[in-house]
Amino acid sequence: MPNYSLKINGKLVSFEADADTPLLWVLRDHLDMVGTKFGCGIAQCGACTIHLDGIAMRSCQLSVSILGQEEITTIEGLSKDGNHPLQKAWKELDVSQCGYCQAGQIMTAASFLKDNPNPTNEEIRAAMHGNLCRCASYNRIEKAVALAAKKMS
């Protein structure tokens, strides 16, 4: 089994895995970083969203063998104390119901706000469209993204 080293949340981590192992399963099963969730396995729901060099990506479709020196950020690495403006807005607006999709939602929103710090409601809706929420908390998610954008500016 090949040995890999990846930079995850600012730290170099090494592990053994088959070349076709998705990053999602490396994070969860090899590195015990369970904030990134399995939802669909086909990059359609967004529960497994991480940042790859700051860009939101679906970790269920990223084989470890294609990764190199990129910086990988998971929900655990978004902020040291869980005090990122998005995390604060999520708490303030009581966004989560079951909470399963929320890490992926927050990671998508963080990448989006980095590129668009002053979005319209329509831009937020479009950016978050690819993340599914079984509890249908979409209105609160959109409000939390808008609130975080205001706090970040």
Side-chain angles (χ1 to χ4, degrees):
M1 197 174 312
N3 192 25
Y4 295 95
S5 292
L6 297 174
K7 190 173 182 184
I8 302 174
N9 299 331
K11 297 178 184 174
L12 192 63
V13 296
S14 297
F15 55 90
E16 288 184 357
D18 290 329
D20 61 349
T21 303
L23 176 60
L24 169 65
W25 297 117
V26 168
L27 293 171
R28 292 185 61 78
D29 295 345
H30 295 266
L31 304 176
D32 199 30
M33 300 176 78
V34 296
T36 304
K37 305 293 187 204
F38 172 79
C40 67
I42 57 172
Q44 296 297 303
C45 74
C48 69
T49 302
I50 52 92
H51 292 174
L52 190 64
D53 287 336
I55 299 168
M57 302 287 286
R58 308 295 203 241
S59 64
C60 70
Q61 294 294 298
L62 294 172
S63 297
V64 293
S65 61
I66 67 167
L67 299 171
Q69 301 304 311
E70 300 92 349
E71 172 67 35
I72 298 164
T73 306
T74 68
I75 190 70
E76 293 93 344
L78 190 61
S79 74
K80 293 180 192 231
D81 302 324
N83 63 355
H84 186 281
L86 281 160
Q87 292 167 314
K88 287 182 175 182
W90 245 249
K91 289 177 190 173
E92 186 175 327
L93 297 178
D94 198 24
V95 171
S96 297
Q97 286 186 33
C98 83
Y100 196 83
C101 71
Q102 299 308 309
Q105 299 275 1
I106 290 170
M107 295 303 286
T108 296
S111 179
F112 166 66
L113 290 178
K114 181 179 60 92
D115 294 333
N116 187 348
N118 191 24
T120 65
N121 289 338
E122 292 76 23
E123 290 170 328
I124 293 170
R125 192 170 299 116
M128 301 304 295
H129 183 266
N131 285 71
L132 301 179
C133 175
R134 290 181 181 181
C135 300
S137 295
Y138 298 113
N139 290 334
R140 283 187 281 176
I141 290 167
E142 290 172 16
K143 288 176 185 174
V145 174
L147 178 61
K150 286 179 187 172
K151 290 180 182 225
M152 293 168 75
S153 60

